[in-house]
Amino acid sequence: MKIGGLQKVSLIDYPGEISSVIFCQGCNFRCPYCHNPELVDPELFSACLCEDSILSFHRSRIGKLDAVTVTGGEPTIQQDLASFLKCLKAMGYQIKIDTNGSMPGVLARLIAEHLVDYIAMDIKGPLEKYGKITGMAGVSEQIAESVRLILSSNVNYEFRTTVVDSLLTEEDLLNVGDLIAQSRRYALQPFVPSKALRPQYLEEKSLSLETLARVRGQLGKKIDSVIIRPST
Ligand code: SF4
């Protein structure tokens, strides 16, 4: 595992649980608004944290933490993710993965081996816009497959979209609703400029809250819970 950071405790990353947050280094996407450039651009990587020390830390927190959130970067491109999660599961932790959904084969294995309890999957936009938004063309089938896998699993999940005005329209968001129709939980995340992989995106803004409220009303007809919350 290439681990770029550890947050020892979080009350907001794993819904309803006290979790640590492990930040994986590396991502196969290049979303221009990404707020973790130091985990995505190899030129900005710092020295990796030692996997053994991360596991030791979690061993010492058994009974104090409920869960571990594994985020990035993109966790599912890590070669030894499954074996790492097995170690954490053996300590009794619930595991949440934040993923861009580009590696459905990895998600399928994590689900089948009961190594994940909660999946938060980014939906970058309608499938036809993935190349433009992520810089990675030809990934739409993998995204659709990940959505299908999650919806047919027994794992808790949410889908979420960071909304940047110059990249997504109201119609795009309604199309995303078709992709994840009948899902339980969807978060619309207005883009909040703080850090960005492409610094010019610090000048960008979200679609208006009024527009997002309208989208929420429409999507609420096919998704159980649609919320609006700031991107983190
Ligand atoms: S937003 Fe997520 S998927 Fe996109 S570049 Fe950043 S870490 Fe990767």
Side-chain angles (χ1 to χ4, degrees):
M1 289 281 290
K2 289 188 164 44
I3 299 172
L6 169 69
Q7 185 179 331
K8 293 183 174 175
V9 63
S10 166
L11 302 179
I12 59 170
D13 282 273
Y14 195 128
E17 308 290 354
I18 302 172
S19 84
S20 63
V21 186
I22 295 171
F23 296 88
C24 299
Q25 212 173 53
C27 186
N28 49 352
F29 284 1
R30 291 291 181 275
C31 313
Y33 54 78
C34 177
H35 66 272
N36 280 329
E38 68 282 1
L39 297 169
V40 172
D41 179 352
E43 291 194 356
L44 302 177
F45 286 177
S46 53
C48 284
L49 301 179
C50 163
E51 192 176 314
D52 285 344
S53 70
I54 297 288
L55 291 173
S56 297
F57 166 78
H58 285 88
R59 220 167 275 119
S60 74
R61 290 301 187 276
I62 293 173
K64 299 186 179 77
L65 291 171
D66 307 312
V68 181
T69 299
V70 184
T71 187
E74 175 51 39
T76 62
I77 65 169
Q78 299 287 329
Q79 294 292 328
D80 46 357
L81 177 65
S83 58
F84 181 70
L85 296 187
K86 263 180 208 163
C87 295
L88 293 169
K89 284 305 269 178
M91 297 178 206
Y93 287 113
Q94 296 184 70
I95 306 287
K96 171 173 174 267
I97 292 279
D98 293 343
T99 182
N100 61 26
S102 61
M103 304 287 279
V106 175
L107 283 182
R109 178 180 175 194
L110 299 183
I111 292 168
E113 297 187 16
H114 306 288
L115 295 175
V116 64
D117 302 282
Y118 197 113
I119 299 172
M121 177 176 159
D122 287 351
I123 304 288
K124 302 298 182 184
L127 294 178
E128 64 274 14
K129 277 202 165 175
Y130 260 75
K132 177 183 176 194
I133 295 174
T134 70
M136 188 173 181
V139 78
S140 57
E141 185 45 46
Q142 289 94 314
I143 298 302
E145 176 61 16
S146 290
V147 169
R148 281 193 291 270
L149 264 171
I150 290 169
L151 290 180
S152 62
S153 76
N154 290 321
V155 173
N156 261 327
Y157 66 86
E158 68 176 38
F159 298 108
R160 57 199 190 175
T161 298
T162 297
V163 183
V164 181
D165 176 56
S166 63
L167 294 175
L168 291 174
T169 64
E170 183 171 352
E171 188 184 357
D172 287 334
L173 294 174
L174 296 177
N175 289 338
V176 167
D178 292 334
L179 177 65
I180 59 169
Q182 313 310 324
S183 59
R184 285 201 291 268
R185 184 174 158 90
Y186 180 46
L188 293 161
Q189 303 184 144
F191 173 65
V192 178
S194 54
K195 285 187 292 178
L197 186 60
R198 282 176 51 191
Q200 58 267 44
Y201 270 71
L202 294 174
E203 307 299 321
E204 298 280 346
K205 57 182 178 17
S206 167
L207 286 174
S208 71
L209 287 177
E210 191 184 22
T211 303
L212 294 183
R214 207 160 48 231
V215 169
R216 179 176 58 186
Q218 287 298 313
L219 296 187
K221 297 173 186 168
K222 55 180 112 177
I223 297 170
D224 287 350
S225 169
V226 182
I227 62 170
I228 299 172
R229 70 171 177 221
S231 57
T232 54

